[in-house]
Amino acid sequence: EYRSFMHCFNVMVKNEGVSSLFRGIAAPLCGAMLENSIMFWSYGAAARTMGGKENLSTAGITVCGAVTGFPISLWLTPVEYLKCRLQAAHTAHLYDGIWGCLVHTIKHEGIGALFRGGTATLMREVPGGAVYFGAYEVISRALTPEGKKASTVAVIAGGGMAGLSYWCAIMPFDVIKSRMQTTVEVAAEAGGAARSGM
């Protein structure tokens, strides 16, 4: 049981080394690249279907943002499953990196296990996408004079508020998703685990 952030930090570094702070980093790095590609592709596709972004109201932009949650969830659920497994104290020791976690999960629990927490991820990403794009547009438009291009300040302020609003909206769903992905009994061989790979 950790008393604080610094206590957890010190215990991890002392007992597991500095590298333990970066455990599971491959999953979010790979995940983030494709996540952003999927997000902006699906947002653009939804906006074009509704007549183009320049013709959309804030409500329309919010709807397009919500649409991004569906394809993103299909990608993020297995990525975050692997990340959470590699980070949780009671499961991290079972794997040697993301490849070992993937192989072990499929071998012992089936490929469907990678999508555990999928409903919670969907419930996180749909409202999260709506809030993210909606907040960005509301703030950036409010700081941009009629007929002018958004300034650097408007873009930064809009982006900052988008990120803040996103996490405030999705945090409960994220906690539930992480619990679902890390508290299920792990099928591991006695004495040893899934040491195979990166």
Side-chain angles (χ1 to χ4, degrees):
E1 191 69 36
Y2 303 111
R3 297 189 299 270
S4 66
F5 172 85
M6 285 308 301
H7 180 240
C8 180
F9 175 87
N10 290 331
V11 169
M12 289 181 68
V13 171
K14 180 180 178 181
N15 296 338
E16 305 172 58
V18 174
S19 62
S20 66
L21 299 173
F22 298 91
R23 187 180 294 131
I25 194 172
L29 282 180
C30 295
M33 288 189 291
L34 195 51
E35 175 191 1
N36 286 323
S37 297
I38 292 171
M39 178 172 67
F40 288 106
W41 166 79
S42 55
Y43 175 75
R48 286 191 296 274
T49 300
M50 296 177 67
K53 179 186 170 184
E54 62 281 356
N55 299 317
L56 292 177
S57 63
T58 301
I61 287 171
T62 300
V63 169
C64 291
V67 168
T68 68
F70 292 93
I72 286 175
S73 296
L74 288 175
W75 167 247
L76 279 185
T77 299
V79 168
E80 295 209 355
Y81 176 89
L82 297 174
K83 182 198 74 171
C84 288
R85 287 286 179 154
L86 290 167
Q87 290 178 337
H90 64 287
T91 56
H93 68 281
L94 295 170
Y95 317 112
D96 263 349
I98 188 171
W99 181 249
C101 183
L102 177 64
V103 171
H104 182 262
T105 299
I106 294 174
K107 180 179 178 181
H108 293 281
E109 301 179 67
I111 197 167
L114 295 172
F115 292 90
R116 186 176 294 133
T119 300
T121 304
L122 185 65
M123 292 175 67
R124 181 188 78 174
E125 292 302 324
V126 171
V131 168
Y132 182 87
F133 284 99
Y136 175 81
E137 290 300 329
V138 167
I139 299 302
S140 62
R141 287 182 178 185
L143 297 176
T144 303
E146 188 71 32
K148 299 287 186 179
K149 185 178 179 180
S151 66
T152 301
V153 171
V155 171
I156 291 173
M161 187 55 68
L164 176 64
S165 301
Y166 173 83
W167 280 105
C168 286
I170 70 147
M171 201 61 195
F173 301 109
D174 190 64
V175 171
I176 292 169
K177 174 200 69 66
S178 296
R179 286 288 179 92
M180 292 175 70
Q181 293 178 327
T182 58
T183 58
V184 179
E185 190 68 25
V186 178
E189 296 99 352
R195 303 274 176 190
S196 63
M198 295 156 52

